[in-house]
């Protein structure tokens, strides 16, 4: 499952929450919703706050789709991703997918408030 929403219009922050056993279909559905939400921000760039605390499993086929998802977000104007993740195994998987998608601006945080604080207070390079 997933949830996609605008978190902060002023700072152009989009939120993605991945919940439970995420499937490739979940990623496709989220991309459709994201495409609509990011339209106003594409030319100016946007940030993404990703909550992965409630994800249980990332199957290999889902990981492949996640790489494509990250590549698409970068091409669409994503500048940074602040990822909330507590599991060390999930962090390891995320580092691998970020490397495969050439996503060099993914940072990991312990909770949403830290991640949001970083995106709001730290200027984009």
């Amino acid at each position: 499952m997933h949830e996609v929403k605008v978190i902060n219009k002023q700072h152009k922050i989009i939120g993605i929450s991945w919940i439970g056993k995420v499937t490739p279909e979940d990623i496709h559905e989220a991309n459709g919703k994201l495409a609509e939400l990011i339209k106003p921000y594409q030319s100016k760039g946007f940030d993404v706050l990703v909550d992965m605390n409630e994800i249980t499993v990332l199957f290999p086929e889902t990981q492949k789709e996640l790489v494509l998802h990250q590549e698409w977000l970068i091409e669409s104007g994503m500048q940074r991703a602040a990822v909330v993740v507590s599991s060390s195994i999930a962090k390891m998987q995320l580092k691998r997918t970020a490397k495969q998608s050439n996503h060099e601006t993914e940072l990991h945080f312990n909770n949403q408030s830290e991640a949001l604080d970083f995106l709001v207070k730290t200027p984009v390079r």
Side-chain angles (χ1 to χ4, degrees), residues 54-78:
E54 293 186 46
I55 199 166
T56 55
V57 177
L58 271 180
F59 295 109
E61 61 273 11
T62 303
Q63 282 184 297
K64 289 177 188 174
E65 285 301 319
L66 197 56
V67 169
L68 297 173
H69 163 79
Q70 288 176 340
E71 290 173 344
W72 172 74
L73 281 171
I74 292 166
E75 289 171 13
S76 297
M78 180 181 68

Side-chain angles (χ1 to χ4, degrees), residues 4-6 14-15 32-42:
V4 177
K5 62 185 176 183
V6 175
I14 306 295
K33 293 174 186 174
L34 284 165
E36 290 301 312
L37 289 178
I38 65 175
K39 277 183 185 178
Y41 309 121
Q42 284 181 301

Side-chain angles (χ1 to χ4, degrees), residues 6-13 41:
V6 175
I7 292 179
N8 185 309
K9 284 184 181 183
Q10 179 185 354
H11 290 95
K12 301 175 279 187
I13 301 170
Y41 309 121

Side-chain angles (χ1 to χ4, degrees), residues 11-14 45-50 73-74 77-83 103-107 109 115-125:
H11 290 95
K12 301 175 279 187
I13 301 170
I14 306 295
F46 59 92
D47 291 326
V48 178
L49 192 157
V50 183
L73 281 171
I74 292 166
M78 180 181 68
Q79 297 176 348
R80 302 176 294 182
V83 182
H103 186 328
E104 299 172 355
T105 58
E106 179 177 289
L107 301 163
F109 295 89
L116 184 58
D117 195 46
F118 169 79
L119 292 174
V120 169
K121 294 182 179 177
T122 307
V124 179
R125 294 184 233 164

